[in-house]
């Protein structure tokens, strides 16, 4: 028996800002809770291959570098996707890249790092 990733949970300070960013970035539907949280769901029927994202209101700012981050892959041109994410409020982040990487490191509006891969990972 094995486990699989079903949901990614992110503590957020400003739920509205983060819902707007991540739902638009991922193209996910939003289901707001009455407890200061929101679940982002992939459109269409539930899928075992597309995890949901839970945005959990924490009321506190992020501190330090993420120990776990998302690696995203674009449907088409990765650099066009990076430009789109930047227009949504992401920003470039330097975590020690050399320039030879096959990914771009960004941070969401609250500073949570994530990468946009140049191509899907080898499975």
């Amino acid at each position: 028996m094995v486990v699989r990733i079903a949901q990614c949970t992110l503590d957020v300070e400003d739920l509205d800002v983060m819902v707007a960013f991540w739902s638009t970035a991922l193209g996910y539907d939003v289901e707001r809770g009455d407890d200061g949280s929101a679940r982002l769901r992939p459109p269409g029927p539930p899928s075992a291959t597309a995890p949901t994202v839970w945005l959990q209101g924490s009321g506190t700012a992020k501190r330090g570098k993420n120990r776990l981050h998302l690696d995203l892959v674009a449907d088409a041109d990765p650099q066009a996707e990076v430009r789109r994410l930047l227009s949504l409020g992401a920003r470039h982040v330097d975590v020690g890249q050399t320039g030879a990487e096959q990914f771009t490191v960004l941070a969401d509006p609250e500073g949570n790092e994530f990468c946009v891969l140049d191509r899907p990972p080898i499975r």
Side-chain angles (χ1 to χ4, degrees), residues 15-98:
L15 185 66
D16 292 334
V17 167
M18 297 299 276
V19 163
F21 177 81
W22 282 110
S23 66
T24 304
L26 298 172
Y28 276 24
D29 298 327
V30 178
E31 177 186 314
R32 286 186 177 263
D34 57 4
D35 61 351
S37 66
R39 176 167 289 148
L40 308 182
R41 297 180 186 275
S47 167
T49 60
T52 58
V53 176
W54 182 262
L55 300 178
Q56 179 172 276
S58 69
T60 60
K62 175 188 175 284
R63 291 184 214 120
K65 184 181 178 304
N66 294 7
R67 303 253 338 233
L68 177 69
H69 69 266
L70 300 175
D71 285 340
L72 307 178
V73 64
D75 289 337
D77 177 9
Q79 290 312 304
E81 187 60 24
V82 166
R83 290 188 297 276
R84 184 181 77 87
L85 293 166
L86 291 169
S87 76
L88 295 175
R91 62 183 169 80
H92 285 279
V93 177
D94 182 357
V95 294
Q97 302 94 302
T98 66

Side-chain angles (χ1 to χ4, degrees), residues 81-123:
E81 187 60 24
V82 166
R83 290 188 297 276
R84 184 181 77 87
L85 293 166
L86 291 169
S87 76
L88 295 175
R91 62 183 169 80
H92 285 279
V93 177
D94 182 357
V95 294
Q97 302 94 302
T98 66
E101 294 79 11
Q102 296 180 345
F103 55 84
T104 302
V105 183
L106 300 175
D108 70 18
E110 289 192 356
N112 300 294
E113 297 93 358
F114 64 95
C115 295
V116 177
L117 305 179
D118 290 349
R119 63 177 185 275
I122 298 171
R123 297 194 180 255

